[in-house]
Amino acid sequence: FRDNEVVNLIMKGMLAGVAAVICDVVINMATGIIKEKRALPVVIMATSFIASFAFDVNIVIIILCCGIIGAIDTIYRGRKGGEKH
């Protein structure tokens, strides 16, 4: 099935479409993160990319670390914001 030339070309076209969608999502997310003007999300985004691309760190480990950092940041910001009221 995969050796069929037409099927192979269709699969390559689908792969290019998926890559375009992923690039669009990444650009939109990065733009939103940068517009927040907070350093922590930008550092997390850059560190996650470097860990995955340069050091081949498992994506599950990256997601867990980002989740933990995000939870700690949310708790800290909630307490900090609660004291101001």
Side-chain angles (χ1 to χ4, degrees):
F1 181 73
R2 184 147 196 223
D3 292 334
N4 186 329
E5 186 70 27
V6 174
V7 172
N8 197 14
L9 289 173
I10 291 172
M11 294 293 195
K12 286 183 182 180
M14 290 174 60
L15 183 62
V18 169
V21 170
I22 290 172
C23 286
D24 182 54
V25 169
V26 168
I27 289 170
N28 287 334
M29 283 179 24
T31 302
I33 289 171
I34 292 170
K35 283 183 180 179
E36 287 181 15
K37 296 185 180 180
R38 291 187 57 229
L40 182 62
V42 174
V43 170
I44 289 174
M45 183 175 62
T47 305
S48 298
F49 175 76
I50 292 168
S52 175
F53 187 74
F55 298 109
D56 201 28
V57 176
N58 189 321
I59 191 67
V60 174
I61 294 171
I62 295 171
I63 291 170
L64 288 174
C65 290
C66 290
I68 291 168
I69 293 168
I72 292 169
D73 181 52
T74 301
I75 291 168
Y76 174 75
R77 286 184 24 202
R79 288 185 181 168
K80 186 177 178 182
E83 292 174 4
K84 291 182 181 179
H85 289 21

